Amino acid sequence: MSEASFSQWLRERCADEWDAVVNHPFATAIIEGRADMRRYLEQDFQFVDSFTALLGAAVACADTLEARVPYARFLGQVATTEEKTYFHRALAELGGSATPRLEPATSAFRNLMDEVRRSQDYASIVAVLCVAEWTYLGWASRAAEPYTASWIHREWIELHEGPEFREWVAFLRGELDRIGDARLEGTFRRAVELERGFFDMAAG
């Protein structure tokens, strides 16, 4: 392993897939305010329950109080504040459904979240959370201010960019660096591949 951090090493091990997510044409369309967001947000909303449960598992399985607190704080934000409110407002604006038929790409990623939650393996939980959040920071950070005038696109970018979200991703990466080992490569890679599959679905 090089002098790079463990999280950086994991990213480099699946660099092609990672770059395909961060630079995905659908992500670019979001940044430019021209993506068709209805189907994408309908499907992304289906992750909220599994993602919330995964955060709860991180709180329970973390090995220190210092690690538990950021998960608990972020869990409260997901459950009660901007992101949940955003979904309801955006789906209402777009005429979308909160209970659509699940696409295979959505089911596959939810299954991974549920799998690592049931495992109660803290390192695997962190790996999946880190991919989900770090890849989104990756594409959202490509956007230059002022963001698109479309509030649906602009607020989605803002939810995944900015000092607080960067601090959250840095925490997840730091936890991977602290507790990770090479056995996580498969889980990390699988999560990245599923992220790419989800964007492919949205663009299809």
Side-chain angles (χ1 to χ4, degrees):
M1 199 178 302
S2 70
E3 294 181 0
S5 68
F6 179 68
S7 57
Q8 183 69 26
W9 178 81
L10 284 173
R11 190 176 78 170
E12 290 173 354
R13 296 289 289 178
C14 54
D16 289 346
E17 288 293 319
W18 186 279
D19 290 344
V21 174
V22 171
N23 298 300
H24 198 282
F26 191 81
T28 300
I30 296 174
I31 291 168
E32 296 176 353
R34 56 181 177 79
D36 182 353
M37 298 289 279
R38 184 184 61 79
R39 182 182 180 210
Y40 169 73
L41 290 177
E42 284 180 335
Q43 295 298 312
D44 202 285
F45 186 57
Q46 307 315 303
F47 294 128
V48 171
D49 183 59
S50 292
F51 186 74
T52 301
L54 192 59
L55 287 169
V59 174
C61 296
D63 57 343
T64 69
L65 175 61
E66 290 74 16
R68 294 184 206 277
V69 170
Y71 294 117
R73 184 182 301 117
F74 196 78
L75 176 58
Q77 293 174 355
V78 169
T80 63
T81 56
E82 294 94 351
E83 187 157 345
K84 186 176 180 181
T85 301
Y86 168 83
F87 275 116
H88 290 308
R89 289 187 294 114
L91 290 174
E93 175 77 13
L94 296 167
S97 170
T99 56
R101 179 182 62 85
L102 286 185
E103 297 287 349
T106 309
S107 295
F109 207 110
R110 282 210 326 192
N111 289 342
L112 177 61
M113 290 183 186
D114 293 341
E115 177 186 315
V116 298
R117 173 182 53 80
R118 289 191 298 266
S119 77
Q120 297 292 286
D121 178 65
Y122 179 55
S124 297
I125 291 169
V126 177
V128 173
L129 287 172
C130 191
V131 169
E133 303 292 67
W134 193 8
T135 54
Y136 267 55
L137 174 62
W139 70 256
S141 64
R142 293 171 46 217
E145 296 189 64
Y147 300 143
T148 171
S150 164
W151 74 264
I152 291 177
H153 300 86
R154 182 182 68 254
E155 290 188 24
W156 191 241
I157 296 168
E158 291 170 344
L159 282 167
H160 300 100
E161 169 60 314
E164 289 187 7
F165 195 74
R166 287 176 177 270
E167 182 178 349
W168 166 239
V169 172
F171 163 73
L172 292 172
R173 290 189 60 189
E175 285 297 280
L176 264 188
D177 296 340
R178 180 176 70 85
I179 64 165
D181 59 63
R183 71 183 175 84
L184 292 176
E185 181 184 347
T187 300
F188 191 93
R189 179 186 297 275
R190 183 178 169 199
V192 175
E193 291 170 348
L194 290 173
E195 285 285 9
R196 180 178 184 177
F198 188 75
F199 272 119
D200 287 345
M201 175 278 300

